[in-house]
Amino acid sequence: MRILLLEDEESIRGFVRINLKRNEMEVTEAETGEAALALAETEGPFDIALLDVMLPTISGFEVCEQLRKQYPGMGIIMLTAKSQEEDKIYGLELGADDYVQKPFSPGELIARIKSLYRRMKSEPAVPVPSEAGMTNGGGGNTSVEQNETPAHVHASDAAAFTAITATTASTSVGLEIRIPPFVLSVPERKLWKEDREIILTPTEWTLVRLLMEREGASVSRDHILSEVWGRYYVGDLKVVDVNIRRIRQKIETNPSEPSFIETVWGFGYRWKRGVRQ
């Protein structure tokens, strides 16, 4: 795993570097935002960028925004000493996948990095008929195509998985979810709306996939947080809302009146069934 580390304080940078290398991560360091952007261009590609917010010249927020525009598939984690809610939300809205507040423990930082990396390289999820944190909206028209039951499916779930996929299996390789006008490809980790590719961050893609796999079912914020960020994630539920807002900006004709991702007030979100545009 290749990490781009942006931190202007040598003591903190050294502390982070040592712990990343202990976990067999390759680290490239930058002291300024300008240097980080230059390294991203000349030394990349990087899997994940760790960005300090408070910097002497351009801020970590500005670096985050530019990296997200240039490298949509890169994971981004903000390192911030700021505890204000608006600062966390601002970073997420600019495209960060996660944030870690200083002071942090090595274990917390490594766990966040590994969790993000798993989302970026995630295996196909298992469609299940019912699950904690979800309410079933009835039968849907989601098309799931897969050649075989994933290895990580428990024996008790295998029969349900087979029943779900048996009627929709095709000769295509890998897995696709088709909910017109959308097609989501798991092998390519891409989403298309009609013939146009929707550029998503790794976290956005994982969240969209979660909702599309459960078309018509209401999924709680807690369940989304556990499935997308990991069950041991320690953070604010608002990270879910911010990512939903970003996704709506990309897929909806009118994000303020969403047609595809519906808010279930006081609970979570649902990918609407039967919507066509």
Side-chain angles (χ1 to χ4, degrees):
M1 189 190 315
R2 301 195 68 217
I3 306 293
L4 174 60
L5 171 60
L6 170 58
E7 169 61 61
D8 64 324
E9 293 188 32
E10 170 56 34
S11 59
I12 297 176
R13 198 167 65 250
F15 165 77
V16 173
R17 179 204 315 122
I18 290 170
N19 285 281
L20 295 183
K21 288 187 174 181
R22 282 177 179 171
N23 284 268
E24 300 181 343
M25 300 177 191
E26 181 183 339
V27 184
T28 299
E29 303 171 41
E31 295 184 35
T32 67
E34 293 88 344
L37 292 171
L39 286 169
E41 184 174 350
T42 60
E43 302 294 329
F46 293 98
D47 296 301
I48 294 174
L50 304 179
L51 308 179
D52 183 27
V53 171
M54 300 299 292
L55 296 168
T57 54
I58 65 173
S59 73
F61 291 136
E62 294 175 81
V63 176
C64 172
E65 185 175 24
Q66 292 190 47
L67 287 179
R68 180 53 72 215
K69 289 177 181 178
Q70 293 178 261
Y71 311 101
M74 179 187 292
I76 299 177
I77 298 176
M78 307 300 295
L79 307 177
T80 175
K82 294 185 174 183
S83 59
Q84 288 87 351
E85 195 68 27
E86 57 268 23
D87 291 316
K88 298 175 184 177
I89 292 174
Y90 183 55
L92 294 170
E93 287 181 336
L94 289 175
D97 295 286
D98 200 355
Y99 62 87
V100 179
Q101 186 172 319
K102 299 176 183 177
F104 49 80
S105 69
E108 179 187 7
L109 179 61
I110 297 301
R112 295 289 186 91
I113 292 171
K114 289 183 175 180
S115 177
L116 175 55
Y117 192 68
R118 282 195 298 271
R119 296 201 296 275
M120 295 166 63
K121 309 294 182 183
S122 61
E123 297 178 356
V126 183
V128 290
S130 63
E131 192 167 356
M134 293 170 45
T135 61
N136 196 343
N141 53 14
T142 305
S143 171
V144 180
E145 303 171 3
Q146 190 166 16
N147 293 337
E148 58 183 14
T149 305
H152 62 275
V153 179
H154 295 295
S156 60
D157 295 327
F161 180 88
T162 303
I164 291 170
T165 59
T167 59
T168 56
S170 75
T171 57
S172 64
V173 177
L175 184 147
E176 257 189 11
I177 302 174
R178 294 177 177 270
I179 307 178
F182 297 97
V183 176
L184 182 141
S185 169
V186 171
E188 296 179 89
R189 295 186 63 84
K190 291 183 178 181
L191 176 72
W192 290 271
K193 183 179 181 182
E194 297 175 335
D195 295 328
R196 179 173 64 91
E197 182 181 351
I198 306 294
I199 304 300
L200 299 174
T201 70
T203 298
E204 290 168 354
W205 187 91
T206 304
L207 208 168
V208 166
R209 174 183 171 183
L210 175 71
L211 294 179
M212 288 183 71
E213 285 177 330
R214 295 156 174 79
E215 181 193 12
S218 298
V219 187
S220 71
R221 285 179 175 83
D222 285 321
H223 186 73
I224 292 172
L225 198 68
S226 175
E227 289 293 304
V228 177
W229 281 267
R231 68 176 63 186
Y232 300 112
Y233 177 81
V234 179
D236 199 302
L237 281 173
K238 285 187 174 65
V239 69
V240 176
D241 301 326
V242 173
N243 275 273
I244 290 290
R245 186 157 63 244
R246 285 195 337 220
I247 293 166
R248 282 172 170 165
Q249 292 287 338
K250 296 179 179 182
I251 71 170
E252 301 280 1
T253 302
N254 183 359
S256 61
E257 297 181 9
S259 299
F260 303 109
I261 299 179
E262 180 180 22
T263 299
V264 182
W265 295 106
F267 185 75
Y269 297 95
R270 171 172 54 227
W271 192 283
K272 282 187 179 181
R273 178 184 298 107
V275 176
R276 300 292 182 267
Q277 282 191 0

